[in-house]
Amino acid sequence: MKNTAQPLLEEYQLGDLTLKNRVVMASLTRGRATNAGLVPTPLMAEYYAQRASAGLILSEGTWVSAKSIGFINVPGIYTQEQVEGWKLVTQAVHANGGLIFSQLGHVGSVSHPDFFGGELPAGPSAINPQTRSFTPDGFKDSLTPREFTVAEIKQTIQDYKQAAKNAKEAGFDGVEIHAQVGMLIPQFLSLATNQRTDAYGGSIENRARIIFEILDAILEVWDSTRVAIKFTPVALSHVGIITPDEETIPIFQYILRKLSEYNLAYLQIVGPAEDLTGTPVAILQDDYFSHFRRNYRGRLMVNLGFTQESGNAIVREGTADLVSFGTPFIANPDLVERFQHNLPLAEGNQETYYTGGENGYADYPRALYNGAMAQSD
Ligand SMILES: Cc1cc2nc3c(=O)[nH]c(=O)nc-3n(C[C@H](O)[C@H](O)[C@H](O)COP(=O)(O)O)c2cc1C
C-alpha cells in the first residue's frame, strides 16, 4: 500500500517476497549462543520473533565454518545441531508473519589462536590486521595470521556454499554475505591486508575475485533474488589497518558494475561514520548513497544512523529502496509500530549489547499505546 507520509511503511516487492514495509532489522551480533556447539537457542527464537513486524530481519553474523570464528558466543550454521537451532528461529519469525535472511560471515585474520587450539587464524596475506578479537578471555590483539593457500580459499568458498545450503534447510528466506570491514572479504579487497601475487591478489579484478566465486557458489543453491551482500566501503577507524585508499572508489566501481549483472535481492551499503574530508574518498562526503545508487543497477538498502525521518526521506527521494536499522531494534522490538504511531524510541543498554544472557535481550517492552490511539492515526 502507498504511504506518502511514510514511504518506509509501504509494502515492498523483493523478487517473489512481499515485504510488509521497507524497515529492515540490520544484523546484530548479540553473543547469546552461549553453548559449546554455538547453537541458536529458544531465547534467540523469542528475540527474533518479537521483531517480526520488520519488513525483513537479517540474522546476526553467523559462522560458515569452525575456521571462520573470531568472536565468542556467536552462532554458526555449519553443523546439523546449529541448523536445528536456526529452525526454531525461522519458524518463530514466520509464525509472527516475518521474513528472515541468514547473514553468512567469516572473520579471516581478525581472530585469535584461542579459537583454534593455539593455531593461527588465516588471512589473504601474513599481515597483522592490527585490530582486536573478542575471545573467551576478553578482547585480545590480533596477531600476524597465516596466509591462505589457494586450496584453503577454494575450501572457504565451499564453506559459504554449504552454509547457504544449511540456511535453506533451516528455513531462512534468503542469505546475505557479510562483507563489512572486519570480515574476510574486505581483507582480500584491501592492499593493506592483501599482498598476494596469485589470482587473488594484485589487480582490482584479482582482489575482488573471491566475492564473485562465493556468489557463484551460493547461486548454485539459491535464486539470485534471495541472495544479498553488505559492505562498509569507507570505514575509517576502529577497524585496524583497513581504511579507504586511492583504490577504494575504483574497486567498488568494479564490484558494483559486476554485481549489477546478478539481479540480487539487494546490495546493502553502510554509510560513513565519520567526516570524509581530507581522506582519499573525500569526493563521497556529500554524495555518498547517491554515488552507490548511480553505480549499482539493482535494489539498494542503506544503513547507519537512520531515523524515522531520515529513513523516510531517503526512500522518498528515491536514493534507497530499503533502510536497515541496527541499534534502534535492540530496545524497540516494535520499531515499525513506533514509526506507525510516531512513538518515542527506547534506548538500549550498551553493557548488554554483546553479552548478558537474558538481560537486555528479549526483555525490552513494546511501547504502550491503546487501540483507540492506533486507529486515530
Ligand atoms: C551490537 C551490534 C552488533 C552488530 N553485529 C553485526 C553483525 O553481526 N553483522 C553486521 O553486518 N553488522 C553488525 N552490526 C552493525 C549493524 O548491522 C549496523 O550496520 C550498525 O549498527 C549501523 O546501523 P544503526 O546506526 O542503525 O545502528 C552490529 C552493530 C551492533 C550495535
Side-chain angles (χ1 to χ4, degrees):
M1 212 205 303
K2 200 91 187 135
N3 186 328
T4 39
Q6 293 209 62
L8 268 183
L9 301 179
E10 282 170 8
E11 209 174 80
Y12 183 73
Q13 203 61 36
L14 189 73
D16 62 346
L17 292 174
T18 304
L19 276 51
K20 288 175 297 203
N21 53 64
R22 300 170 187 249
V23 178
V24 176
M25 175 175 164
S27 295
L28 293 167
T29 289
R30 304 300 311 277
R32 263 54 175 201
T34 47
N35 56 73
L38 303 179
V39 177
T41 66
L43 180 66
M44 288 169 59
E46 184 186 341
Y47 159 84
Y48 279 109
Q50 289 171 346
R51 287 152 178 79
S53 56
L56 176 66
I57 295 175
L58 305 176
S59 84
E60 60 211 276
T62 300
W63 309 124
V64 297
S65 68
K67 291 194 170 152
S68 60
I69 298 175
F71 202 97
I72 57 161
N73 301 330
V74 170
I77 189 153
Y78 55 88
T79 69
Q80 193 57 39
E81 214 189 345
Q82 291 164 349
V83 171
E84 297 306 318
W86 282 117
K87 283 183 187 169
L88 300 179
V89 173
T90 62
Q91 284 161 6
V93 169
H94 291 153
N96 281 6
L99 294 167
I100 181 166
F101 277 24
S102 168
Q103 193 191 45
L104 305 179
H106 189 309
V107 294
S109 60
V110 182
S111 188
H112 195 274
D114 287 2
F115 288 110
F116 308 115
E119 283 186 30
L120 284 173
S125 296
I127 298 171
N128 186 338
Q130 289 175 27
T131 178
R132 296 188 308 164
S133 168
F134 191 14
T135 78
D137 301 318
F139 279 102
K140 290 197 179 173
D141 289 341
S142 60
L143 304 167
T144 300
R146 279 186 314 108
E147 178 172 308
F148 267 119
T149 63
V150 171
E152 280 176 309
I153 294 175
K154 302 282 182 207
Q155 180 57 51
T156 302
I157 292 160
Q158 287 312 305
D159 292 341
Y160 274 92
K161 179 178 172 183
Q162 184 60 47
K165 220 184 239 177
N166 293 347
K168 199 170 222 185
E169 189 193 335
F172 282 101
D173 299 292
V175 295
E176 181 187 78
I177 300 168
H178 187 356
Q180 288 227 75
V181 168
M183 307 303 286
L184 179 67
I185 290 172
Q187 293 161 25
F188 272 91
L189 299 184
S190 173
L191 286 167
T193 42
N194 181 355
Q195 291 178 5
R196 298 180 73 92
T197 52
D198 60 9
Y200 294 95
S203 66
I204 280 178
E205 188 182 347
N206 280 358
R207 282 182 279 137
R209 184 180 307 282
I210 192 165
I211 297 174
F212 301 100
E213 293 193 351
I214 290 172
L215 256 180
D216 291 341
I218 292 178
L219 294 183
E220 288 173 28
V221 180
W222 286 92
D223 185 79
S224 65
T225 59
R226 302 296 190 99
V227 180
I229 188 158
K230 177 179 185 183
F231 289 108
T232 324
V234 299
L236 289 181
S237 57
H238 316 299
V239 287
I241 58 174
I242 298 186
T243 53
D245 57 30
E246 282 66 25
E247 299 233 345
T248 302
I249 291 177
I251 201 168
F252 272 96
Q253 257 162 349
Y254 170 78
I255 293 167
L256 298 186
R257 202 166 44 241
K258 232 172 128 100
L259 285 180
S260 295
E261 293 160 16
Y262 274 83
N263 190 28
L264 295 178
Y266 61 83
L267 164 72
Q268 181 175 190
I269 295 288
V270 182
E274 288 137 300
D275 193 325
L276 303 177
T277 312
T279 72
V281 290
I283 194 170
L284 297 179
Q285 176 61 27
D286 298 317
D287 180 36
Y288 188 79
F289 290 116
S290 43
H291 168 88
F292 292 95
R293 185 62 151 182
R294 281 196 307 277
N295 284 279
Y296 176 67
R297 197 179 63 243
R299 299 178 197 91
L300 183 67
M301 182 187 293
V302 298
N303 172 257
L304 196 98
F306 280 94
T307 61
Q308 178 182 0
E309 198 184 355
S310 62
N312 276 311
I314 198 162
V315 174
R316 190 178 300 115
E317 73 185 33
T319 305
D321 300 300
L322 296 160
V323 182
S324 73
F325 296 83
T327 32
F329 264 108
I330 291 179
N332 301 279
D334 54 346
L335 187 67
V336 170
E337 290 83 351
R338 292 190 196 224
F339 286 176
Q340 266 160 357
H341 304 294
N342 297 309
L343 295 169
L345 301 190
E347 281 292 319
N349 175 3
Q350 292 195 25
E351 310 247 301
T352 54
Y353 272 13
Y354 299 102
T355 174
E358 294 186 10
N359 289 333
Y361 189 56
D363 52 359
Y364 285 107
R366 307 177 78 78
L368 297 175
Y369 58 85
N370 62 40
M373 196 179 141
Q375 280 163 20
S376 71
D377 277 333

